[in-house]
Amino acid sequence: MKQASYASILTPPILALAALFFSPVQMSAEVPSAVAIKDAHVVTVSGQDLPKGTVLLRDGLIQEVGASVQIPPDAWVIEGAGLTVYPGFIDGLSNWGIPAPASARAGAAAPVPVEPRAHGPEDRPQTYAYERAADLVNPSDGRLEQARAAGFTSAATFPNRGIFEGQGALIDFAGQRGREMVVFEPVGQAVAFRSGGFGGGGRGGFPGSLMGNISYVRQLYLDLGQYQQAKQIYNAHPNGNRHPEYDHALEGLAESPRVLLPADREQQIDRILNFGPELKMPFLIYGLHEAYLRVDELRKANVPLLVSLKWPEAPREVNPTDIPSFRDLTMRDKAPAVPGMLAKAGVKFAFYSDGVDNAAELKRALKKAVDNGLSRADAVRALTLSVAEIYGVADRVGSIDKGKIANLVVTKGEAFDDKTTVEYVFVDGKKFVPSPEMQQGPANGAGGARRGNPPSGERAEDETDGRLN
Amino acid sequence: MRYLVLSLSLLAATVGIDQAQTVLIRNTTVLTVTKGTVPNGDVLIENGKVAAVGKNVSAPANATVVDGSGKFLMPGIIDCHSHTAVEGSVNEGTVSDSSMVDIKDVLDPTDINIYRALAGGLTVSNVLHGSANAIGGQTTVIKLRWGKTAPELLFEGAKPGIKFALGENPKRQGYPPQGQGLFNAGAAAERRYPGTRMGVEEVIRQSFTEAKIYQAEWKTYKERAARGEHPIPPRKDLRLEPLVEVLEGQRYVHAHSYRSDEILMLLRTADEMGFKIRTLQHVLEGYKVAKEIAAHGAGASTFSDWWSYKIEAYDATPYNAAIMARKGVVVSLNSDSDELQRHLNLEAAKTMRYGGLNETEALAMVTINPAKQLGIDDKVGSIEVGKSADLVLFDKHPLSDFSKPLKVWIDGHQYFDRDKDLEMRPGFEQQKKALQEKQAAEGRSGRGHGGAAVNPGPTAGPMVDLTGGGRS
Amino acid sequence: MKALLLLLAAAVLPAADSNSVLIRNVSVHPVTGPDIQNGSVLVLDGKVAEIGPKIAPRGGARVVDGHGLQLYPGMINAGTNIGLDEIQALHDSVDLDEIGMFNPELRAEVAFNPSSQHVEVVRAGGITSLISLPGSGGGGGSVITGQAALMHLDGWTWEEMAVKPSAVMEMLFPQIQSGGGRRQAAAGAQRSYRDDENQYKERLRQVSLFFEDARRYEKAKTAGAPDFQRDIKLEAMLPVIDGKQALFVRASTERAIKDAVAFADKEKVKIVIADPREIGATGPLLKAHQIAVVLGKTLALPEHEDDPYDAPYTLPNEFFKAGVKICFGTFDVEFARNVPFEAAQAAAFGLPHDEALKALTINSAEILGAGDQLGSIEKGKLGDLILTDGDPMEAKTNIKQMFIAGKEVSLESRHTREYEKWMKRP
């Protein structure tokens, strides 16, 4: 029986209309952009603090900053007495803005594309060097709100899958669509050491060990050199030469201006300091839990550093007869002192969240560094201008200077103090008011996993005949 | 304990162990291994080397004197088969030929087992890749210089090696899914070639064939470039490079092997492909083909008395070392174990019972013989003037099961002293306790909300699973 | 001609497999008494009949000249899986860790393969008897694995070999998983200590309930209840709850030891602690309760990174100093013959030499409930003897001859036969 289905005809437009009202990324009204934060304590980072200064924003940029700034009549004025203005904090190595894949969130049994088992480096195992964070970012990532509540306006965000994880982008946490968030890209290639072992990730294929990872990274950069050389020679002298193969992964590697390598423990730091230069590519080191043992070496190496905010701590519930090693106890004790030590030695470093995704936890983590010898000013710098310098974007973000992007965090109280609250956050000149409840916590769960390193000292059920008794 | 001795400056300051300087070990039984035994003898160490051995050796005024009365001095022990000081898995077992990986890349000088081995008299280790595949990774020789960094552990001048494995271990991943026995390969997502001993041979043959092709490709490239042509260079292949080095005699082959048939196979295959096997490792049935091993010139590094744990070890006999030695093979005893490496002198003593080796022959099994096998016998392996001062002072004869090491020197620098170790224990205990209490107090006060609760400790990072293709 | 004479001699003189022998011209080390230089020992019908400086042959005993060598009691390995595990990697050849939480009725001796190649191999090391345990100490979830027998390393059948059948009842004391961190990470899901502890308490509770079941069974049996039905599992528990059969309790940590002692107190059973890996503060506790310890391997790695490097080496002496009776076991198969060397290294690190020897002989026998039969050279005890050219705890010593219950046994094995054969290869 035929039924006139008006419903079916009308449904799509109705749904579309509904989407306009109910979609999470709504179209909002355009608010005038001029804002003046008047007579606040302004920490420019690039220069002297202004005990009583004014910051004028317009069109998403810092129009003026100074002790006595002419405030235009159309500007929305925020009385800055009792408030401090800092440049918005930048997460030095993140995956904020790249939401978890839909299958993980919904719990749906979505078929995941499965790689064939890798039989060697030629199979480019676990290599996503060509992926770009810029293509993946999405303002709907719930962690962005938490990040803003901790004063973060931006991140150098990288995909988080595989050994060559892909190319990062500097993003701001505002915008209707992902593409509006991207400030600059690519900022680098992130590398993580994945040891899935025989049956683990990567379907039990190569590489299965840390040395396999290192050899693979080494091989890939060798291949890059040869690839570039081959293309060059071929284009100059195609006659008589077989044409080189196209290599998606190497193209991605070629574009990245620097590579990020992980190292937490002292022997890992030594290893990376030795290994990095082999790649003939600017590199930086992330992790650095035991860097307190290598401050001098790191200073001499003059390599940019990203210090993890996931301080090593005792697990919540322990077997009371399980006593950690002295080495681990020392690491828990001294890791938070690393930033202070690096600052004192004049070593450039920045912070990164490393799975700390929660506003209260981020603040606590930063406070821990300050409590352990890092000056507040140095802490702020490590969250702002240092990150910008490391990624070569200091001309546009990282400090409160005329012409830079209007990324600011306005606090009541000095940054990181227990009682301090984040009153406003400006991202690309847009004003956000983080919720006080969100800033208090408690932690919603464990946060994300750390980036980069396989368990060290891991000795799996190995094929050796030795008795490890 | 290890923590107090981590950086070299701290070492001297806190532990008080002397820097490499002049040391006279006096009035002790000197077991030189190669030049007889000197009762009531003296050994003078200068500039990291043995400067004099004999009776009534005179020493400069600034020499540290060690009284060796009633004690025994032997050369530092050498272990040809070690997996100590390796970070992460010792196996890259995911492929049949993993010659591209290098143990040197993952040396971990902070492994406490280095110190424990030192305390057992061990001074040099041949650190090897595991036996999960027919051709494993590159290997390296280290000195147990506890407290130094990875590059400083490397034995200068020792030729690098590569590990092969024959027999059961490298074929296990090729078994059909039902699997056999306790070491079930069913865990692997797919079968990895080879699944039989014949296949193991093929892997070696295949890889070396490819290495020869690679060698030829580079030769052709260089010739073409020299002729002024514009050839595209071949891809530098980290897997084939070390195999070319083997063909050119620049890299030693250390081959884990058990059964006589596979040992013979390897010797013949190597002959055919044009390279030498430097040592056969474990080689528990080596006694059956000792003649062929000796003829090839391979060394044999075996266990003192292991057997029966798997079927290829069922025909093992503790007389293996003695038989091979009597048939002209250079034989050493190894550990393949963090635990066994602590008492290789006791393992050596077993050759006196199993085969009637005399004291010198027994000691040679863990000193000069492994040194010869590793090509470092010009520098270590015996107490001789001009050699490295790698020495161990025992309280009783090292071949007595009642003996223990008291002091260990490497390059004339004392790396282990039992008295000092005992002295430092209370202080260390106290230090650790204080740190525990401090952290317990911190934990009780300001942990507040949540805390990085699920971080299970710094030694455990995420075991990353990539099958979800997303954030882990 | 010489051969013919020898053959005749063999026919006339007592056969080599007779169990009466007079061993002369030896230094006798009885272990429980002073050494006798230039002594003799007479064994009649398998038992030591006389020890002294000079003994005339009698009773048809075969005379053996000891050539001035050393005579010791045969050594005992108080913890092995010999006879039940031929090749560890081949499960068809392994009979350990039966399924089920409580298996007291299982008897290891019935699965002991008298033709196991390990028998000859181990005895060539100077070991005349050993305990063969039904459990490997590993996983499987078993708590009571079964009864272990004290076996002679000579005999045509397991029945003949059993010196003391069902000598002890093996128990794997429940332990809380420790060493979180990497093992937890590997397991994926985060296991909290709370979970582990609860699981442990639950297991202990189940064990208590099982013991209670055994007591109820005993009561019903003794009372001759009309509805009484025989249950072989609970039947097997009766000697344990009656204190006649010791529980051989594997407990490696200090906490496990303490909990095991508390358990034994509560259940009023006799226990022996097996393979402890640390002593902690348990020394005085064990002494006060007169609980003996069967030590595992001395030659082992320290349990924790910060432990003194010689922690496992000094452990035997720590127990000894605390007044605890100790003996040695290797808790394995392949290295069971090396138990004397484990004792020797304990002596290197403090245990008095003679205590180490006792811990390989008389202590083992007494702890395993066979102290009246084995463990020393004493009148009335079995003639388990070894003739050596030196201290039997030294690797360089050669074990020259061995007697088990007075009968001389060959010290040949698969290993010596390979040696003979392949040395002859041209």
Side-chain angles (χ1 to χ4, degrees):
Chain A
M1 150 170 96
K2 231 162 84 175
Q3 229 178 39
S5 348
Y6 293 111
S8 63
I9 294 169
L10 285 176
T11 306
I14 289 175
L15 285 176
L17 215 54
L20 278 179
F21 288 111
F22 299 122
S23 77
V25 185
Q26 285 181 318
M27 289 175 51
S28 48
E30 282 294 336
V31 177
S33 72
V35 173
I37 306 165
K38 179 167 172 270
D39 292 341
H41 174 200
V42 180
V43 178
T44 62
V45 177
S46 54
Q48 294 279 30
D49 282 11
L50 301 170
K52 195 163 161 202
T54 297
V55 184
L56 178 60
L57 335 173
R58 184 187 289 279
D59 271 344
L61 299 176
I62 297 170
Q63 194 172 43
E64 202 64 63
V65 55
S68 50
V69 164
Q70 179 84 280
I71 296 177
D74 65 327
W76 181 256
V77 176
I78 293 175
E79 291 298 337
L83 299 180
T84 312
V85 188
Y86 301 94
F89 301 151
I90 310 173
D91 184 2
L93 165 58
S94 197
N95 60 4
W96 292 341
I98 303 177
S103 56
R105 264 198 320 247
V112 166
V114 159
E115 294 181 21
R117 178 177 165 143
H119 297 102
E122 321 74 48
D123 289 345
R124 299 287 183 254
Q126 303 181 43
T127 300
Y128 307 96
Y130 46 82
E131 281 204 348
R132 309 171 92 101
D135 290 334
L136 302 171
V137 291
N138 192 316
S140 67
D141 184 353
R143 295 171 297 170
L144 297 181
E145 216 190 327
Q146 291 278 347
R148 285 190 300 254
F152 285 82
T153 58
S154 328
T157 203
F158 292 76
N160 195 9
R161 170 171 82 127
I163 296 173
F164 285 92
E165 299 179 298
Q167 308 195 58
L170 182 71
I171 61 164
D172 282 347
F173 302 158
Q176 308 273 34
R177 298 169 194 80
R179 59 181 189 253
E180 293 166 28
M181 299 167 74
V182 179
V183 173
F184 180 74
E185 69 92 39
V187 294
Q189 179 75 221
V191 164
F193 294 138
R194 308 275 180 176
S195 294
F198 290 136
R203 294 179 55 74
F206 179 85
S209 63
L210 178 60
M211 55 188 168
N213 273 257
I214 290 176
S215 145
Y216 177 52
V217 173
R218 176 185 284 134
Q219 180 72 70
L220 222 66
Y221 278 94
L222 279 174
D223 286 355
L224 176 63
Q226 194 263 357
Y227 184 70
Q228 289 169 323
Q229 198 183 7
K231 277 205 287 187
Q232 202 183 52
I233 295 175
Y234 184 72
N235 289 331
H237 309 276
N239 196 307
N241 273 321
R242 300 192 55 167
H243 72 87
E245 280 177 20
Y246 172 76
D247 194 319
H248 195 189
L250 295 181
E251 295 288 347
L253 272 194
E255 288 176 347
S256 308
R258 61 187 63 82
V259 59
L260 283 68
L261 301 169
D264 255 349
R265 302 291 212 155
E266 59 169 312
Q267 77 275 8
Q268 295 170 344
I269 295 170
D270 287 342
R271 181 177 302 130
I272 295 301
L273 284 176
N274 228 7
F275 180 59
E278 264 190 62
L279 308 179
K280 300 200 180 32
M281 165 85 48
F283 71 97
L284 52 83
I285 304 180
Y286 67 92
L288 298 165
H289 277 161
E290 274 191 337
Y292 52 90
L293 292 169
R294 289 291 184 275
V295 175
D296 223 37
E297 288 80 355
L298 289 168
R299 183 181 55 82
K300 289 200 189 99
N302 198 18
V303 166
L305 306 175
L306 298 176
V307 176
S308 166
L309 283 172
K310 190 110 161 188
W311 304 118
E313 282 167 350
R316 258 270 220 42
E317 272 177 28
V318 265
N319 184 336
T321 57
D322 245 2
I323 300 167
S325 68
F326 184 71
R327 181 180 186 180
D328 285 353
L329 286 172
T330 305
M331 185 172 70
R332 292 176 196 171
D333 191 45
K334 291 220 160 91
V338 164
M341 294 170 78
L342 291 174
K344 206 166 291 165
V347 180
K348 173 151 19 217
F349 72 96
F351 283 117
Y352 73 105
S353 55
D354 205 9
V356 183
D357 293 341
N358 164 285
E361 284 300 317
L362 282 164
K363 181 162 135 190
R364 187 180 82 83
L366 287 162
K367 177 161 192 296
K368 199 158 182 186
V370 170
D371 288 344
N372 279 275
L374 181 67
S375 74
R376 197 190 320 274
D378 283 337
V380 172
R381 195 185 205 289
L383 287 166
T384 55
L385 197 52
S386 291
V387 192
E389 285 166 349
I390 286 172
Y391 288 112
V393 291
D395 50 357
R396 60 205 86 172
V397 291
S399 59
I400 306 182
D401 282 311
K402 178 175 170 150
K404 286 198 173 178
I405 300 177
N407 290 340
L408 307 166
V409 48
V410 183
T411 60
K412 186 188 232 143
E414 296 301 306
F416 323 124
D417 278 352
D418 283 329
K419 292 204 173 57
T420 299
T421 50
V422 174
E423 298 293 301
Y424 308 101
V425 172
F426 288 88
V427 185
D428 277 338
K430 293 187 196 60
K431 176 161 79 66
F432 293 87
V433 183
S435 94
E437 292 74 34
M438 188 171 280
Q439 294 180 53
Q440 245 123 40
N444 55 338
R450 292 193 65 208
R451 295 186 75 124
N453 283 306
S456 68
E458 170 81 20
R459 204 83 80 92
E461 301 320 310
D462 273 340
E463 297 296 8
T464 65
D465 290 330
R467 290 297 184 278
L468 301 179
N469 261 345
Chain B
M1 181 52 47
R2 54 171 292 294
Y3 223 67
L4 293 166
V5 300
L6 250 143
S7 75
L8 193 53
S9 51
L10 264 175
L11 184 79
T14 61
V15 177
I17 289 178
D18 43 284
Q19 307 277 356
Q21 47 173 225
T22 308
V23 180
L24 178 68
I25 305 165
R26 266 190 65 246
N27 194 27
T28 191
T29 305
V30 184
L31 307 166
T32 67
V33 176
T34 47
K35 300 234 189 299
T37 296
V38 186
N40 306 110
D42 302 338
V43 173
L44 178 67
I45 301 174
E46 261 177 347
N47 299 318
K49 295 211 165 44
V50 171
V53 182
K55 288 199 193 272
N56 299 311
V57 169
S58 64
N62 68 336
T64 308
V65 177
V66 175
D67 181 15
S69 312
K71 305 187 172 62
F72 294 77
L73 191 70
M74 70 172 279
I77 297 176
I78 300 173
D79 184 3
C80 257
H81 196 120
S82 169
H83 300 298
T84 302
V86 173
E87 182 158 359
S89 173
V90 304
N91 271 302
E92 180 54 63
T94 56
V95 289
S96 327
D97 173 356
S98 64
S99 41
M100 73 290 275
V101 307
D102 192 347
I103 283 285
K104 202 165 66 188
D105 283 335
V106 289
L107 283 178
D108 181 2
T110 66
D111 184 353
I112 188 66
N113 287 305
I114 297 175
Y115 181 74
R116 292 168 176 168
L118 257 180
L122 192 64
T123 54
V124 175
S125 288
N126 189 22
V127 186
L128 299 176
H129 183 278
S131 50
N133 39 16
I135 300 180
Q138 299 163 51
T139 69
T140 202
V141 182
I142 64 169
K143 284 201 171 191
L144 276 62
R145 297 176 178 122
W146 179 243
K148 304 274 190 166
T149 63
E152 292 167 327
L153 292 184
L154 301 176
F155 193 117
E156 318 78 357
K159 235 182 217 168
I162 185 167
K163 179 82 180 294
F164 284 13
L166 312 177
E168 290 173 24
N169 293 12
K171 63 173 186 150
R172 224 168 254 135
Q173 285 190 62
Y175 290 174
Q178 272 78 301
Q180 283 146 49
L182 295 175
F183 301 117
N184 193 326
E190 54 177 69
R191 294 172 72 179
R192 183 210 72 184
Y193 185 89
T196 68
R197 283 180 164 85
M198 297 99 71
V200 169
E201 193 220 12
E202 204 259 351
V203 170
I204 295 170
R205 205 176 270 285
Q206 171 71 16
S207 286
F208 276 89
T209 304
E210 288 170 20
K212 288 187 175 175
I213 293 170
Y214 177 77
Q215 206 178 21
E217 274 174 6
W218 274 96
K219 188 155 171 283
T220 307
Y221 163 73
K222 289 191 174 123
E223 285 165 0
R224 285 184 67 196
R227 284 202 295 268
E229 296 172 31
H230 300 279
I232 296 173
R235 175 176 163 270
K236 185 160 176 187
D237 191 328
L238 294 176
R239 179 176 72 93
L240 298 173
E241 291 278 326
L243 302 183
V244 171
E245 288 169 355
V246 168
L247 290 168
E248 293 173 350
Q250 296 310 316
R251 185 173 288 277
Y252 288 150
V253 174
H254 301 295
H256 156 126
S257 49
Y258 276 77
R259 270 199 354 213
S260 63
D261 49 289
E262 68 208 21
I263 296 167
L264 187 62
M265 173 279 286
L266 186 63
L267 298 176
R268 298 297 179 242
T269 303
D271 284 340
E272 211 189 288
M273 302 300 288
F275 64 92
K276 282 273 175 224
I277 303 298
R278 182 73 184 181
T279 69
L280 294 154
Q281 299 280 331
H282 309 328
V283 62
L284 293 190
E285 285 192 11
Y287 64 93
K288 298 182 182 175
V289 282
K291 186 167 77 171
E292 287 80 1
I293 296 172
H296 182 92
S301 188
T302 188
F303 293 127
S304 58
D305 64 357
W306 293 25
W307 79 294
S308 86
Y309 43 103
K310 42 184 178 161
I311 192 145
E312 63 187 0
Y314 203 52
D315 259 15
T317 171
Y319 293 87
N320 190 29
I323 299 171
M324 290 194 290
R326 296 269 178 265
K327 306 260 178 193
V329 181
V330 176
V331 183
S332 68
L333 294 178
N334 67 41
S335 75
D336 194 2
S337 156
D338 287 339
E339 193 286 308
L340 199 66
Q341 67 185 358
R342 311 212 283 154
H343 48 88
L344 282 170
N345 55 309
L346 303 184
E347 303 314 304
K350 292 174 182 172
T351 60
M352 298 178 72
R353 175 185 288 197
Y354 301 121
L357 262 50
N358 65 38
E359 274 184 11
T360 304
E361 289 169 326
L363 284 175
M365 292 269 155
V366 294
T367 53
I368 194 64
N369 286 2
K372 285 182 181 153
Q373 291 173 345
L374 298 175
I376 51 179
D377 53 308
D378 55 334
K379 301 193 175 79
V380 292
S382 57
I383 305 181
E384 290 182 56
V385 171
K387 283 201 175 178
S388 198
D390 290 5
L391 306 164
V392 187
L393 190 69
F394 277 83
D395 64 344
K396 298 193 166 69
H397 195 291
L399 295 174
S400 162
D401 284 80
F402 296 107
S403 71
K404 62 180 175 290
L406 300 173
K407 296 183 200 288
V408 179
W409 291 266
I410 297 180
D411 305 322
H413 178 123
Q414 193 178 2
Y415 279 90
F416 171 72
D417 186 313
R418 179 168 164 79
D419 289 335
K420 295 231 167 63
D421 182 299
L422 288 163
E423 237 173 70
M424 291 184 57
R425 286 179 200 182
F428 175 69
E429 287 299 318
Q430 237 177 0
Q431 214 181 351
K432 182 169 178 180
K433 198 146 170 281
L435 198 48
Q436 269 175 269
E437 283 165 9
K438 175 181 177 198
Q439 293 191 359
E442 280 171 8
R444 283 190 293 272
S445 57
R447 279 284 289 281
H449 26 244
V454 205
N455 188 343
T459 51
M463 258 312 239
V464 181
D465 175 19
L466 295 168
T467 53
R471 47 186 293 265
S472 19
Chain C
M1 188 54 182
K2 193 164 171 191
L4 190 58
L5 280 171
L6 282 168
L7 269 171
L8 282 170
V12 168
L13 292 166
D17 64 348
S18 103
N19 60 0
S20 296
V21 61
L22 171 63
I23 305 167
R24 299 215 271 232
N25 193 10
V26 280
S27 277
V28 185
H29 303 270
V31 174
T32 49
D35 292 350
I36 305 169
Q37 310 289 352
N38 299 319
S40 306
V41 173
L42 175 66
V43 179
L44 292 176
D45 295 323
K47 294 203 175 138
V48 174
E50 197 179 332
I51 311 165
K54 235 173 147 56
I55 305 175
R58 64 175 193 278
R62 186 165 75 90
V63 177
V64 169
D65 186 337
H67 301 291
L69 296 176
Q70 315 297 319
L71 191 73
Y72 286 89
M75 294 184 280
I76 303 172
N77 188 330
T80 76
N81 296 125
I82 296 288
L84 300 175
D85 174 346
E86 196 65 17
I87 298 176
Q88 189 194 31
L90 294 186
H91 198 76
D92 287 339
S93 77
V94 176
D95 288 297
L96 300 173
D97 304 320
E98 181 56 84
I99 303 167
M101 195 167 163
F102 301 114
N103 290 318
E105 76 286 8
L106 300 184
R107 295 183 298 141
E109 74 224 37
V110 309
F112 190 104
N113 182 1
S115 305
S116 163
Q117 298 295 306
H118 290 276
V119 171
E120 286 182 320
V121 164
V122 173
R123 87 180 173 210
I127 292 139
T128 48
S129 57
L130 47 75
I131 277 279
S132 192
L133 298 161
S136 68
S142 226
V143 173
I144 296 184
T145 53
Q147 301 167 46
L150 183 57
M151 310 291 279
H152 263 152
L153 289 177
D154 176 56
W156 298 95
T157 65
W158 54 258
E159 196 173 53
E160 290 183 8
M161 293 168 87
V163 178
K164 191 174 163 88
S166 303
V168 290
M169 177 78 73
E170 186 186 24
M171 177 178 178
L172 272 45
F173 202 78
Q175 288 190 174
I176 304 184
Q177 268 287 86
S178 78
R182 76 178 76 128
R183 215 174 295 157
Q184 284 184 339
Q190 184 68 13
R191 280 192 65 87
S192 78
Y193 169 66
R194 195 86 23 224
D195 289 341
D196 283 342
E197 198 185 25
N198 288 340
Q199 188 181 59
Y200 161 77
K201 285 184 177 150
E202 174 57 29
R203 274 173 88 74
L204 270 185
R205 211 176 58 85
Q206 285 180 330
V207 176
S208 274
L209 288 174
F210 183 69
F211 274 67
E212 187 184 294
D213 286 350
R215 277 192 286 274
R216 287 171 59 182
Y217 177 83
E218 184 176 48
K219 184 160 189 203
K221 180 180 180 186
T222 341
D227 59 346
F228 175 78
Q229 278 182 333
R230 200 177 147 80
D231 179 299
I232 59 172
K233 266 196 211 291
L234 297 177
E235 190 74 36
M237 287 297 291
L238 297 183
V240 174
I241 59 179
D242 287 344
K244 297 207 191 83
Q245 185 183 44
L247 269 173
F248 190 90
V249 180
R250 296 229 214 189
S252 54
T253 60
E254 179 186 6
R255 177 165 179 180
I257 297 170
K258 282 188 181 147
D259 289 349
V261 174
F263 177 83
D265 261 350
K266 174 165 153 289
E267 303 292 343
K268 300 200 184 12
V269 290
K270 192 158 165 276
I271 66 167
V272 160
I273 296 289
D275 200 11
R277 297 320 312 170
E278 58 185 11
I279 184 172
T282 60
L285 179 70
L286 291 168
K287 178 177 175 174
H289 284 78
Q290 295 194 303
I291 292 172
V293 164
V294 178
L295 294 161
K297 289 195 171 103
T298 310
L299 293 167
L301 284 173
E303 296 285 298
H304 311 289
E305 181 169 320
D306 293 331
D307 282 349
Y309 81 91
D310 57 358
Y313 302 159
T314 55
L315 190 64
N317 193 35
E318 292 300 308
F319 279 108
F320 170 70
K321 282 193 300 192
V324 177
K325 188 164 184 172
I326 55 167
C327 70
F328 286 100
T330 54
F331 295 91
D332 72 348
V333 167
E334 312 137 58
F335 301 113
R337 60 180 159 189
N338 291 340
V339 70
F341 312 143
E342 306 286 340
Q345 274 287 282
F349 284 86
L351 186 67
H353 175 280
D354 288 348
E355 293 303 320
L357 183 59
K358 281 165 69 178
L360 289 168
T361 52
I362 188 61
N363 287 4
S364 325
E366 287 175 351
I367 290 170
L368 299 169
D372 53 337
Q373 298 184 72
L374 297 173
S376 56
I377 307 181
E378 281 183 67
K379 189 164 162 186
K381 287 201 176 179
L382 288 171
D384 287 4
L385 305 163
I386 51 173
L387 193 67
T388 72
D389 63 6
D391 190 324
M393 291 191 273
E394 290 274 30
K396 61 179 186 262
T397 294
N398 293 293
I399 315 289
K400 297 293 216 178
Q401 280 175 281
M402 174 184 278
F403 302 84
I404 294 183
K407 179 183 132 213
E408 178 159 10
V409 296
S410 163
L411 291 171
E412 280 178 28
S413 68
R414 183 180 182 80
H415 293 175
T416 60
R417 288 189 281 272
E418 298 285 14
Y419 175 48
E420 306 294 334
K421 173 176 170 182
W422 289 91
M423 273 305 280
K424 294 205 196 89
R425 183 187 172 202

